[in-house]
């Protein structure tokens, strides 16, 4: 069993706060990501969305398309409407060989609002759960039929954030709904990535690796800060620069036969955290953790 190492362009330029790294060209992101040692990239807002345009750009850098974020609104539109809305994104992923779609319900989300503290994260009513689950199952079935599996992203500031919400999501959805395991978001929500990996090993189809600076997370919670203020204060960092136990997590991935991407996705202020420096640190750390866990890497 082996994994591939990818990175998200958030290291260079931020989607939730476009002013962070706003002047950094896509070319710089891709060239430095490759230089740091990664073999693939997730999508960001500066990426062309036409596969005939993006494909040659990635090929020039020797990079693969890993996946890309999709904002779903299943609480306010039907499964059929959501399928129509995601078709261009699905086409892009499928055309360039990505097999997982980073999928997150954004109705009522607060992670992009700097003036809303994380304590105000939304939750679904019972009626909303009863609406959401059948629609998500339908969309997931459709995507899987097209060769791309939904990797549901539990995310701070959204309706699926806590371990309890993940548990219900996994219990009530069909196997077509894969799980994206994000170590940083899980720790930020009070969860344990190692425990979740063991519990849902068969459902995990994508992995995001962001580390946590414990004291900054504690400060964000104690002062009831917003997600974006937590980011600006350095709550997240690349693997190897925080306190998450990636070796044990990766041992679990190896034992479960995981063969997908392992992706550095650690939003920081690039004016404070030099992107190439942190990209190299993240890649080197992942390689070391994989070696210690006995998890092989495909270049």
């Amino acid at each position: 069993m082996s994994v591939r190492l990818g990175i998200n362009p958030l290291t260079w330029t931020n989607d939730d706060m476009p002013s962070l790294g706003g002047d950094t060209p896509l070319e710089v992101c891709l060239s430095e990501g490759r230089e740091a040692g990664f073999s693939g990239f997730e999508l960001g807002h500066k990426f062309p969305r036409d596969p005939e345009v993006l494909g040659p750009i990635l090929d020039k850098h020797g990079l693969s398309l890993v996946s890309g974020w999709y904002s779903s609104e299943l609480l306010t539109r039907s499964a059929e409407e959501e399928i129509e809305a995601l078709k261009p994104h699905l086409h892009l992923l499928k055309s360039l060989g990505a097999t997982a779609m980073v999928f997150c319900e954004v109705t009522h989300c607060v992670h992009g609002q700097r003036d809303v503290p994380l304590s105000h994260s939304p939750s679904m009513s019972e009626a909303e759960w009863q609406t959401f689950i059948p629609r998500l199952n339908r969309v997931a079935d459709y995507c899987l039929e097209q060769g791309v599996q939904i990797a549901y992203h539990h995310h701070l500031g959204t309706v699926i954030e806590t371990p309890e919400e993940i548990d219900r999501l996994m219990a009530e959805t069909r196997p077509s709904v894969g799980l994206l395991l994000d170590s940083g978001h899980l720790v930020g929500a009070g969860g344990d990535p190692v425990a979740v990996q063991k519990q849902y090993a068969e459902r995990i189809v994508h992995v995001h690796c962001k580390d946590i600076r414990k004291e900054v997370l504690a400060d964000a919670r104690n002062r009831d800060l917003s997600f974006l203020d937590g980011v600006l204060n350095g709550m997240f960092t690349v693997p190897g620069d925080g306190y998450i136990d990636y070796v044990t997590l990766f041992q679990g991935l190896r034992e479960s036969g995981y063969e997908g991407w392992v992706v550095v996705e650690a939003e920081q202020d690039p004016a404070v955290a030099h992107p190439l420096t942190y990209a190299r640190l993240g890649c080197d750390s992942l390689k070391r953790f994989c070696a210690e866990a006995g998890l092989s890497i495909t270049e």
Side-chain angles (χ1 to χ4, degrees):
M1 302 298 177
S2 64
V3 297
R4 300 181 72 187
L5 304 186
I7 192 167
N8 187 287
L10 284 170
T11 297
W12 291 266
T13 176
N14 196 288
D15 283 5
D16 292 325
M17 189 178 286
S19 60
L20 298 181
D23 295 333
T24 303
L26 177 60
E27 177 74 17
V28 171
C29 302
L30 298 178
S31 61
E32 291 189 353
R34 193 72 184 100
E35 181 181 345
F38 294 98
S39 58
F41 259 82
E42 289 190 335
L43 294 170
H45 69 279
K46 293 183 179 179
F47 282 61
R49 297 306 167 116
D50 181 343
E52 294 186 2
V53 176
L54 179 58
I57 294 173
L58 293 174
D59 288 345
K60 184 180 75 169
H61 292 278
L63 293 164
S64 299
L65 178 62
V66 175
S67 184
W69 171 283
Y70 178 77
S71 296
S72 74
E73 299 176 43
L74 283 168
L75 290 176
T76 59
R77 57 191 179 194
S78 69
E80 289 69 30
E81 290 170 329
E82 198 70 73
I83 287 170
E84 286 303 313
L86 65 73
K87 280 182 177 178
H89 186 62
L90 178 63
H91 174 68
L92 174 60
L93 297 179
K94 183 177 179 180
S95 297
L96 296 184
T99 58
M101 178 191 296
V102 178
F103 190 97
C104 184
E105 177 66 25
V106 299
T107 304
H108 310 314
C109 69
V110 301
H111 65 280
Q113 302 175 48
R114 192 174 176 186
D115 59 342
V116 179
L118 274 174
S119 63
H120 290 199
S121 290
S123 59
M124 285 190 282
S125 67
E126 185 60 32
E128 286 177 320
W129 274 103
Q130 296 300 324
T131 296
F132 179 65
I133 293 295
R135 290 177 178 178
L136 178 59
N137 280 330
R138 172 72 185 95
V139 173
D141 287 348
Y142 173 81
C143 289
L144 191 57
E145 289 166 3
Q146 301 301 310
V148 177
Q149 186 167 16
I150 280 178
Y152 194 93
H153 193 342
H154 57 92
H155 195 290
L156 292 170
T158 72
V159 295
I160 304 292
E161 171 186 293
T162 66
E164 294 76 18
E165 288 161 345
I166 295 170
D167 287 342
R168 181 163 183 180
L169 179 77
M170 292 289 93
E172 298 186 10
T173 53
R174 292 196 280 263
S176 57
V177 179
L179 180 65
L180 187 160
L181 177 62
D182 188 300
S183 54
H185 279 282
L186 194 51
V187 170
D192 179 356
V194 172
V196 171
Q197 188 280 322
K198 288 183 178 179
Q199 186 172 1
Y200 299 115
E202 300 305 314
R203 300 287 293 274
I204 293 170
V205 297
H206 202 52
V207 177
H208 276 176
C209 297
K210 57 164 61 69
D211 219 330
I212 291 278
R213 295 186 176 101
K214 183 182 292 187
E215 68 283 357
V216 184
L217 172 61
D219 178 67
R221 288 300 189 185
N222 289 339
R223 292 199 288 138
D224 202 18
L225 301 181
S226 67
F227 177 79
L228 290 178
D229 277 339
V231 168
L232 290 171
N233 290 347
M235 180 168 68
F236 296 129
T237 184
V238 298
D241 191 40
Y243 75 102
I244 293 176
D245 179 5
Y246 281 101
V247 174
T248 303
L249 179 63
F250 286 1
Q251 286 172 342
L253 291 176
R254 174 181 55 78
E255 292 167 2
S256 70
Y258 179 77
E259 290 189 294
W261 287 91
V262 174
V263 181
V264 171
E265 193 224 30
E267 47 265 72
Q268 301 187 79
D269 182 349
V272 175
H274 182 254
L276 180 55
T277 298
Y278 276 86
R280 282 175 171 155
L281 174 59
C283 192
D284 291 346
S285 296
L286 288 184
K287 288 179 178 178
R288 184 174 75 256
F289 297 151
C290 284
E292 292 180 24
L295 187 62
S296 62
I297 298 170
T298 300
E299 294 295 335

